[in-house]
Amino acid sequence: MRKLLLPFAALASVLSSPAMAWGYLGHSTVGAIAMANVQPSTRAAIRRLIAHQAELDTPECAMTSIEKVATWPDCIKGEKGRWAYQSSWHYHDQPVCGTFDLKQLCRDGMCATAQLERNEKELANRKLAPVLRLEALSLVVHLVGDIHQPLHIGENEDLGGNKVKADYGDAPGRNLHSIWDTTLAERAITSARPPLVRVYSAAEKAQLATGGVADWARESYEISRDVLYPLAFGGKLPCDDEGDVKEPQKVVWTNAAIEQTIPIVDERIERAGLRLAKVLDEALG
């Protein structure tokens, strides 16, 4: 029982932090869900890899828990020179005013879907040094979360909504991406009942832990295309009659939109956590 409660304690420490955001709270929740649902042998293997975190020489981004493992790829963005090559690994942009085509829109494999598949193989490779497998572990945990965030896949030539100024209900001064990355995700995670971090039943896992990387990306794309952008832009996509992108404009994410999309955020995080658990079991179990 004590082992099962550890992910809950870790999440509680996240919620008490003054800097609650999707970048930390969302990714750490995905990691905690996975840690609570992997096989015991997988959990032990993760802890053995974490024991090598000092060898990465990132003391400001030390991987001391699954939550820190999940957020390491964002934390190291502060060391711009050393890790700059990873900047495009966090997304795989697909135009909501165009077509979904993962093969055409990933230059030289420098995108989230390709890097997830590459790092899964590295994580499973017992011949690699543990520190390299730990880096691969962190990228796998993080990228599964990124691919399940709709605006990391489906976007409108607006940097995943970053260029679209937006109000969150009555709160001004945000953009469309930050609403999904922070405010909406925070509300969804903290209000979920039952809590998202828990041991899921076999039936729940069978229902939620489905598909592969391309399926997960397509789900996110379709949420952006069919729900997210239409809600933001008055019921339709921000495309002209020829299917071209319209210039970004300010939008209001209404209270009705907030209530409608909280369940979507919760399900994306649940699916990400349980699918991640399956990936980790296959690589480490």
Side-chain angles (χ1 to χ4, degrees), residues 97-225:
C97 290
T99 57
F100 180 85
D101 190 343
L102 289 180
K103 292 183 180 180
Q104 292 296 322
L105 297 172
C106 181
R107 184 176 179 181
D108 301 324
M110 300 294 283
C111 65
T113 56
Q115 288 302 318
L116 174 56
E117 291 175 336
R118 183 182 72 81
N119 280 281
E120 284 180 28
K121 294 176 183 177
E122 295 206 349
L123 177 60
N125 186 354
R126 267 66 170 180
K127 295 181 180 180
L128 285 181
V131 66
L132 296 179
R133 294 179 69 210
L134 173 60
E135 182 178 349
L137 169 66
S138 180
L139 286 163
V140 166
V141 175
H142 187 87
L143 293 176
V144 169
D146 276 345
I147 289 170
H148 282 78
Q149 210 277 48
L151 284 169
H152 281 247
I153 304 293
E155 62 101 51
N156 196 41
E157 297 184 18
D158 52 17
L159 302 181
N162 275 293
K163 293 168 66 175
V164 181
K165 295 179 180 179
D167 292 347
Y168 179 78
D170 298 328
R174 291 166 171 78
N175 63 61
L176 191 58
H177 192 100
S178 71
I179 285 174
W180 276 75
D181 254 10
T182 58
T183 325
L184 183 63
E186 178 184 324
R187 178 168 171 179
I189 293 168
T190 57
S191 64
R193 297 294 182 271
L196 299 185
V197 181
R198 56 187 169 86
V199 178
Y200 286 72
S201 69
E204 288 174 313
K205 292 176 183 179
Q207 178 186 357
L208 297 171
T210 57
V213 175
D215 303 305
W216 309 341
R218 181 178 287 277
E219 289 171 359
S220 287
Y221 171 77
E222 290 176 351
I223 290 170
S224 278
R225 183 195 64 192

Side-chain angles (χ1 to χ4, degrees), residues 83-105:
W83 305 101
Y85 65 91
Q86 294 187 9
S87 62
S88 65
W89 293 8
H90 296 256
Y91 54 90
H92 190 161
D93 289 346
Q94 300 284 299
V96 295
C97 290
T99 57
F100 180 85
D101 190 343
L102 289 180
K103 292 183 180 180
Q104 292 296 322
L105 297 172

